Amino acid sequence: MDRREVAAVLTYVGRLDPRTIRTDAGEARDQLAMWHELLEEVPMTTGQGWDVRDAVRKRVVASPYPILPADVAREWNAHYRDRLGRHTDPTPMADPDDPQAWRAELVATRDAVVTGRIAPSPHRGVTTGEPHPGLKKMLKAVGTYVPDAVRAELAPFRPARAAREAAIAAGGPDIFSVPCERCRAPKGEPCRERSGGGVRNRNTKPRIEPHPGRVEDALAAHAQALPA
């Protein structure tokens, strides 16, 4: 704000809180100089939710003490941080090989957000509601996460997983759906066996075949899940 705008703010403050009015010409001049010093970088209004009069009213209502220019400056800083916190820098249109132009565009965009010339650009988030009508068709066209042909090529390198998938495809239980009581392998992880000396549960490697006890537990859980 320039001195004329700061003077208008002081007039408004005086209407709300007469204690701030200075009748002596020298005191009024010093008051205007102090307020302008602290509010020179604070805009009067912006197009996106900031009005210095709102900040003044808020402070006058919230505090029994006379308002200070620092109170208004703090409100502006909070507004400034809130808008930047809700903003995600879009990719600049400038040449990325020109770092000065790239940075200048980012700074200009942030300044436009803070001063209310443009709205913050938020992150793209997952929204609630019904899925897109064509989502099922799109997922069907994409297929599985790992195509069958790729899965077959990976089978020699993932023998434990391949055995698990083959058992499930044949209608059997998912052996990894239960933990192993012998080697303490958690759900979803293959059984492990010792590969050498050392501390217990260290120096282990995945087993191709699960431990027999785990197979029995998986069969029992599968049988219980079957409809009567």
Side-chain angles (χ1 to χ4, degrees):
M1 289 184 285
D2 56 29
R3 293 177 67 89
R4 179 182 56 81
E5 291 173 324
V6 173
V9 172
L10 279 172
T11 301
Y12 182 73
V13 170
R15 291 212 318 265
L16 300 183
D17 187 355
R19 294 175 298 175
T20 62
I21 297 176
R22 300 292 181 264
T23 56
D24 181 79
E27 291 182 358
R29 184 171 55 251
D30 292 341
Q31 183 188 44
L32 176 60
M34 179 182 67
W35 277 68
H36 181 252
E37 179 72 19
L38 292 176
L39 301 182
E40 185 177 9
E41 301 298 327
V42 177
M44 188 82 167
T45 61
T46 69
Q48 298 285 338
W50 168 261
D51 189 320
V52 71
R53 292 169 298 182
D54 294 337
V56 169
R57 286 196 301 270
K58 178 180 177 182
R59 182 62 185 177
V60 170
V61 171
S63 174
Y65 302 102
I67 187 172
L68 298 173
D71 298 327
V72 180
R74 280 191 291 268
E75 287 291 334
W76 166 250
N77 289 337
H79 178 80
Y80 180 102
R81 290 192 299 269
D82 175 69
R83 289 185 66 79
L84 280 185
R86 293 185 286 111
H87 174 68
T88 303
D89 289 322
T91 303
M93 299 297 293
D95 184 355
D97 292 331
D98 187 348
Q100 292 183 346
W102 184 277
R103 182 179 182 278
E105 186 172 338
L106 285 177
V107 171
T109 301
R110 292 181 182 182
D111 182 69
V113 169
V114 169
T115 56
R117 296 196 300 274
I118 62 174
S121 176
H123 288 283
R124 289 185 177 182
V126 178
T127 58
T128 59
E130 296 296 326
H132 190 277
L135 181 60
K136 291 184 178 180
K137 183 177 181 180
M138 292 170 59
L139 292 175
K140 185 177 181 180
V142 171
T144 60
Y145 180 72
V146 180
D148 294 338
V150 176
R151 194 185 305 276
E153 293 181 6
L154 292 176
F157 305 99
R158 304 186 303 173
R161 182 179 293 274
R164 175 192 186 187
E165 293 173 350
I168 296 174
D174 179 5
I175 305 301
F176 292 173
S177 64
V178 296
C180 182
E181 297 296 334
R182 179 171 178 180
C183 66
R184 305 300 180 186
K187 292 181 179 181
E189 297 292 334
C191 291
R192 306 190 71 85
E193 63 183 5
R194 299 286 295 276
S195 60
V199 182
R200 183 175 179 81
N201 293 331
R202 295 183 180 177
N203 299 324
T204 61
K205 63 179 181 180
R207 284 173 55 94
I208 297 177
E209 296 294 334
H211 286 111
R214 189 178 194 179
V215 175
E216 294 177 359
D217 292 342
L219 288 172
H222 182 66
Q224 292 179 358
L226 292 176

